[in-house]
Amino acid sequence: MALIISPPPNDIDVNGISWKQWFYKIRNDLLQALDLTNVSGILNTAHGGTGASLSPNPNELLVGNVSNSFDLKTLVAGSNVTITNGVSTITIAALGGGGGSGKIY
């Protein structure tokens, strides 16, 4: 499908309507049909959404679940690991322990 950026010239007539008038009418009808200002509901994963119906609390992340959807979860620190939540940030640090071998696998 070709994307028309500018209308064709005025001199073509289709049933008494200039090509330019026809072009603008079709364009305006399409823009009205695609009006996304009143979208409601939950956009599921099959259509590119998350399927999540809740707004996240600070520092919650979307985590995939077994239903091919997402849940909101907060990271939990384990042994020798700290997690610090900030404004729009999450810092994860490891305490103690030696360094790695320097090899990338």
Side-chain angles (χ1 to χ4, degrees), residues 74-78 81 83:
T74 303
L75 294 176
V76 178
V81 174
I83 298 176

Side-chain angles (χ1 to χ4, degrees), residues 7 12 14 32 34 50-51 61-62 71 75 85 87 89 95 100 105:
I12 300 172
V14 177
Q32 284 181 335
L34 295 174
T50 63
L61 303 172
L62 288 171
D71 293 322
L75 294 176
N85 294 311
V87 178
T89 64
L95 303 175
Y105 297 96

Side-chain angles (χ1 to χ4, degrees), residues 11-100:
D11 57 355
I12 300 172
D13 224 354
V14 177
N15 295 331
I17 300 173
S18 76
W19 190 260
K20 187 174 185 178
Q21 289 172 317
W22 178 83
F23 171 84
Y24 283 119
K25 179 179 180 354
I26 296 298
R27 185 202 63 181
N28 291 341
D29 289 349
L30 285 172
L31 289 175
Q32 284 181 335
L34 295 174
D35 180 16
L36 299 177
T37 58
N38 294 315
V39 175
S40 63
I42 300 166
L43 187 59
N44 63 33
T45 55
H47 293 101
T50 63
S53 61
L54 302 173
S55 296
N57 291 315
N59 302 302
E60 284 186 323
L61 303 172
L62 288 171
V63 179
N65 63 31
V66 294
S67 309
N68 294 326
S69 188
F70 295 93
D71 293 322
L72 292 169
K73 299 293 181 182
T74 303
L75 294 176
V76 178
S79 179
N80 295 325
V81 174
T82 60
I83 298 176
T84 306
N85 294 311
V87 178
S88 297
T89 64
I90 300 173
T91 303
I92 302 172
L95 303 175

